Amino acid sequence: MTESDLKVAVVTGGGSGIGEAIAHRLCDDGMAIGVLDLDEAAAQRVAAGLRDAGHDAIGVHVDVSDRAAVEAGFGTVRAELGPVSVLVNNAGRDGFRRFVNITEDEWNAIIAVNLTGTFHCTQVGISDMIEAGWGRVINISSSSAQGGQEFMAHYVSSKAGMIGLTKSLAKELGQDGITVNTVPPGFIDTPMLRRSEAKGLLGGSVEDHEERTPVRRVGTGADIANAVAFLASEASGYITGQIIGVNGGRNT
Ligand code: NAP
């Protein structure tokens, strides 16, 4: 497959924040995009904006933790845009609770979206890649899984699971021409981060963290999208099973 054949990318959680930035960047690189999101209005808004800019894009309401919904969503993308060759598992939810107080329901809810959702989307999404003998899977984990994070044991465990899944699938799918990598973001200015700020969970404002970040600024969705675009490209074909941290030097 050549670069010009890289046709259809699915971005889960593409209706907001990092996913929205990734959807825009991959469109700029010539791909058609399926924007999958739990928030249907957000998925439709992002897809409409991309179409207004002259790109091919559709918005699809999908809860990634629901296998039937994932299968239906990928079916819609395949019918409207074609076989999927790039998958960005970005949909995620966070949680903050002292470990001793995390309930089984809270634990399961986070694992269901972040880890099991990645399992569902990857298992459903890679069939086209296997058939084509070419594909890219990029998992958006979290820098918190590299260093640990108090009061986020459920979230961090789910994101660490995504790293293990990435490494295992890289070994299993390399022979099919599919690379699997993970980008763990660190402190990216998105609605998720601003919600944490509003709840007083950041130990100050988002901007207060500029001084605590080696590059002296807070990250943007575009910072993550730049790394994802490279990992989705032909040029990254010898890179698989890797953790490509994008965090301004906050984790090394
Ligand atoms: P965001 O602004 O909250 O966007 C996440 C999107 O995913 C939202 O549109 C959300 O929809 C959607 N989503 C949630 N659950 C879903 C589900 N079950 N099925 C489909 N879509 C679902 O968050 P973000 O900051 O861009 O985060 C994107 C990813 O990066 C997440 O996996 C997050 O854990 C990871 N991350 C972010 C940071 C950071 O600093 N921002 C750091 C490390 C890792 P709703 O709004 O309806 O819930």
Side-chain angles (χ1 to χ4, degrees):
M1 183 175 281
T2 64
E3 194 102 28
S4 60
D5 295 323
L6 306 184
K7 198 165 172 324
V8 179
V10 164
V11 182
T12 70
S16 176
I18 290 170
E20 181 173 359
I22 292 168
H24 277 272
R25 175 57 200 270
L26 295 184
C27 266
D28 288 344
D29 288 354
M31 298 182 202
I33 309 287
V35 179
L36 273 49
D37 207 289
L38 187 61
D39 182 338
E40 181 165 18
Q44 298 299 351
R45 174 186 60 76
V46 171
L50 292 169
R51 287 195 298 274
D52 288 347
H55 302 296
D56 272 349
I58 60 169
V60 190
H61 174 237
V62 172
D63 177 348
V64 297
S65 67
D66 177 342
R67 180 64 174 231
V70 168
E71 286 174 354
F74 276 81
T76 302
V77 171
R78 288 181 175 120
E80 296 198 25
L81 300 176
V84 175
S85 53
V86 174
L87 168 62
V88 184
N89 286 305
N90 166 78
R93 55 180 290 185
D94 62 7
F96 297 85
R97 182 89 64 199
R98 194 172 288 277
F99 176 69
V100 294
N101 296 328
I102 294 174
T103 66
E104 189 174 348
D105 282 350
E106 287 169 338
W107 175 272
N108 287 339
I110 298 248
I111 300 286
V113 174
N114 298 355
L115 185 54
T116 310
T118 300
F119 162 73
H120 288 321
C121 291
T122 306
Q123 213 173 50
V124 172
I126 59 169
S127 57
D128 296 337
M129 304 182 205
I130 291 172
E131 195 166 319
W134 194 98
R136 299 283 187 260
V137 178
I138 300 126
N139 295 324
I140 306 303
S141 52
S142 171
S143 62
S144 64
Q146 295 173 285
Q149 186 68 46
E150 64 269 45
F151 311 135
M152 297 188 81
H154 41 2
Y155 176 81
V156 172
S157 298
S158 72
K159 293 296 187 175
M162 289 177 76
I163 293 174
L165 182 64
T166 299
K167 289 175 174 283
S168 298
L169 292 184
K171 294 197 168 176
E172 195 167 324
L173 298 175
Q175 63 187 349
D176 295 303
I178 301 169
T179 66
V180 187
N181 291 288
T182 181
V183 175
F187 219 79
I188 307 298
D189 193 355
T190 66
M192 181 186 277
L193 191 69
R194 291 290 173 178
R195 284 193 296 272
S196 296
E197 177 188 48
K199 291 179 196 160
L201 296 168
L202 301 184
S205 71
V206 167
E207 286 69 24
D208 288 342
H209 281 259
E210 289 173 357
E211 279 306 304
R212 300 175 215 166
T213 303
V215 302
R216 295 292 186 271
R217 68 173 176 85
V218 171
T220 65
D223 289 317
I224 305 302
N226 287 336
V228 169
F230 173 64
L231 292 172
S233 73
E234 190 68 36
S236 67
Y238 200 55
I239 299 171
T240 193
Q242 301 304 310
I243 304 169
I244 311 295
V246 180
N247 56 51
R250 295 167 63 94
N251 293 73
T252 58

